[in-house]
Each structure stands twice: as C-alpha cells, then as structure tokens.
Amino acid sequence: MILILKPELDSESEDRVLDRLHELGINAQLVRTSGRAVIVLKSDVSEEPNHRFTQIEGVVKAVRLAAGYSLASSIKDKSVAISASSAGKSLKPSFIGSGHMPLVMAGPCSVESAEHILEVAASVKEAGASVLRAGAFKPRTSPYEFQGLKEEGLEYLKEASKRTGLPIVTEVLSPDKVETVAEFADILQIGTRNMYNYELLREVGRLGRPVLLKRGMSATIDEFLYAAEYILKEGNEQLILCERGIRTFENRLRNTLDLSAVPLLKSLSGLPVVVDPSHATGSRAMVRPMSRAAIACGADGLLLEVHDRPDQSISDAEQAIDPGELAAVVKDMVAIVLALGLGAGSGDSGESAVEENALFASVRSLSESI
Ligand code: PEP
Ligand code: MN
C-alpha cells in the first residue's frame, strides 16, 4: 500500500505520520518522487481497512497496489541523468526518460581492440548516438566463444569516452566485479541472463549509479518489475528498463520483440524504458523497422549494435548494423519524434527537453527544413 501525503506537508509532519505508523507496528518508508512525498507500507496490510490510514493527520489517500513492486509503481515520470565521467565535468549530462527526447546508445557487441572501439565510438557519435555501448565482460551461450577483453576492454572504453565525450554503458556479470566495472562505466548494464541474479541486483542497487536492466528472455512483466524492485529497494532510482525480446514458439528470428511491453511498463511504473531491436531480432534487416516502431510506441531510447564492418564482428555479427544504417535510424527517430510531438514536455529533472548534442542539433535543422 502507498500513502499519498498532503503536498504542503513539512518534514516534521511527515515524521509524525511515520511515527504513528511505527506505533501501529507497521514498517514504512518515505519516498520522494517527482517532488511529491509518498509513504510505502512494507508490512502486510491486506487485512487492514483503508480508513485506518487515511485518518492519520497529513495522509490524503491510501492506494492499494495490485502488484508487490510498490517502489517501482510509486515512481512517476522518472528521468535519469547520464554523463561521461571519464570526459571531465564540463560536459552537460543527457537525460533519458520522461519529457526528454529519446536517445540512442550504440556501439559494437564487444570491445574488440583499442583501435576498433575508438573508431566505432567516433562513427556512432557522428551518426547521432548519445551513449557508447560495448561489452568488455561478455555472457556467451557457449563457453568456447569469445568471453570479452575484460578489464583491458574497460580501459579501452574509457579512452573512447574521453576522446568522444560519450558516456559508456557496459555489462557487469557478477557481484564481485561491480566495483571494477563501476570505475569505468557511466551506466551499468545487467543482461538478460542476469535479470534473476538477485545478489547482483542488490549490489548495483547499493552503488547508486545509473543501471540499465534488461528483461530476462523468459521473464514476465511482473518478474521484470520485481527485478527492478530489488535495485530500487537498495535506494537506487537511477534505473532504466530495457525490452530486448523474449523467447516464444516463433523461431525465425532470434527472439520476439514484445513492443507492448513499452506502454505496459510505462503504465505500471514511471521508469524510463528503452528497446534493443538488435538482440530482440538478431537480424540486421529488422533493426531499422523495429527501431521505428519502438520510438512510435513511446520508447525513451534505443540500444543498438553497430560495427564498421558488421560481417566481421567478433560476436553477434548477424545483427550488427553499420554507422550509415545507424544514421538512417536516427533520422527516422527524429522524423517520428517530430511527427508525434514526442519529448516535448519536461521531465522530473526540470531541465529543458532540448539538449545540446548531435541528435538534437539534427532535430533542429530538420525542423527548420520542413
Ligand atoms: C548485450 O546487450 O550486450 C547483451 C549481451 O544483451 P542481452 O543480455 O540482452 O542478451
Ligand atoms: Mn550482442
């Protein structure tokens, strides 16, 4: 259950509500979201009538939640600030989520070499990406396949970020590597295979850094939001959800991209939602059309695998697009954003929706030419 408090309540009155709940033997936590204070009741109050809570001075409403992910459900219109820690403090952060223009995270599946990641980073930036993606620790289905350059790969990513100013999203596979990966990553990625790794979820929750949580390939929406809840429960609200396709009976493509997850997740939680059409389809020909659809249905961003010579990618070659195709995806995205008037509001950061980067510059020039 969530208790909505009077908007003008001062902190002393908020404490009085919490004290009263504790007197009643109820475990409760105050959460601030979008400038409003709500109290999340963690104890089981299913047998208690609502008026038991609404009669407490300062409580406006008691809302019973159908699902048990009360923190994820209480978040409204969240946007997450992302900045390149390696590139110095002078760069303005990008925002992902409510009220902001959708953004693109792009790069190769794996960090392949120092020269390669520098080259791809420069070309994805040129094509309009705002974040560089690449795996240094790779979760591979077969133990005989390339497992990533590990710590060495993280160093190369850092250099690419320094040179381009692009923040980095990269995967962390185990709790004992969270600290190491966090030294380099601006967003820590939890991959599909680790969505159920609760110790890893708790560890990135304690870190207080942006996290990109990918949906488990066989996870229901409720299981996905419970995984998000593990991270939120540790106090980390800088969380981005990623729909990356699920396993179904259909086997022509690598997975089935469940795009209805985007509006559904947004109706259940205010966390930003991005879509990964690369892993969802496993086919480069599908990436552009499904990117269009993802933006049109309200995704806050795209996670895309891009390689200068897609066929020669060390991992996931079939789904990699080249920088030229990425530029086409970005152009589509801009056209859809303009046509549907997306990203026109302002998120909970209070910042303007118009940020200075390659994508937004192209939005402006495109709108001027229309
Ligand atoms: C990735 O994005 O690098 C990745 C391994 O994706 P997933 O966990 O969705 O398979
Ligand atoms: Mn991949």
Tab-separated table of all heavy atoms in Angstrom, residues 109 279 305 316 319, ligand 2:
chain	number	residue	atom	x	y	z
A	109	CYS	N	28.939	-5.108	-30.259
A	109	CYS	CA	28.534	-6.072	-29.225
A	109	CYS	C	29.646	-6.132	-28.179
A	109	CYS	O	29.399	-5.948	-26.988
A	109	CYS	CB	28.313	-7.437	-29.883
A	109	CYS	SG	27.840	-8.724	-28.723
A	279	HIS	N	19.295	-7.402	-30.241
A	279	HIS	CA	19.166	-8.730	-29.635
A	279	HIS	C	17.748	-9.276	-29.787
A	279	HIS	O	17.539	-10.486	-29.813
A	279	HIS	CB	19.588	-8.689	-28.162
A	279	HIS	CG	21.057	-8.458	-28.004
A	279	HIS	ND1	21.588	-7.197	-27.925
A	279	HIS	CD2	22.101	-9.317	-27.978
A	279	HIS	CE1	22.905	-7.299	-27.833
A	279	HIS	NE2	23.246	-8.568	-27.863
A	305	GLU	N	23.355	-2.426	-31.745
A	305	GLU	CA	24.705	-2.928	-32.027
A	305	GLU	C	25.156	-2.423	-33.396
A	305	GLU	O	24.493	-2.658	-34.422
A	305	GLU	CB	24.739	-4.453	-31.935
A	305	GLU	CG	24.626	-4.857	-30.465
A	305	GLU	CD	24.991	-6.289	-30.139
A	305	GLU	OE1	25.036	-7.140	-31.048
A	305	GLU	OE2	25.205	-6.562	-28.949
A	316	ASP	N	27.917	-11.621	-32.389
A	316	ASP	CA	26.622	-11.128	-32.885
A	316	ASP	C	26.709	-10.384	-34.227
A	316	ASP	O	26.070	-9.342	-34.427
A	316	ASP	CB	25.958	-10.227	-31.828
A	316	ASP	CG	25.391	-11.033	-30.665
A	316	ASP	OD1	25.333	-12.274	-30.770
A	316	ASP	OD2	25.005	-10.424	-29.655
A	319	GLN	N	23.446	-9.385	-36.435
A	319	GLN	CA	22.519	-8.311	-36.054
A	319	GLN	C	23.158	-6.930	-36.073
A	319	GLN	O	22.474	-5.927	-35.844
A	319	GLN	CB	21.912	-8.607	-34.672
A	319	GLN	CG	22.901	-8.515	-33.524
A	319	GLN	CD	22.433	-9.251	-32.280
A	319	GLN	OE1	21.769	-10.278	-32.352
A	319	GLN	NE2	22.746	-8.719	-31.111
B	2	MN	MN	25.412	-8.739	-28.540
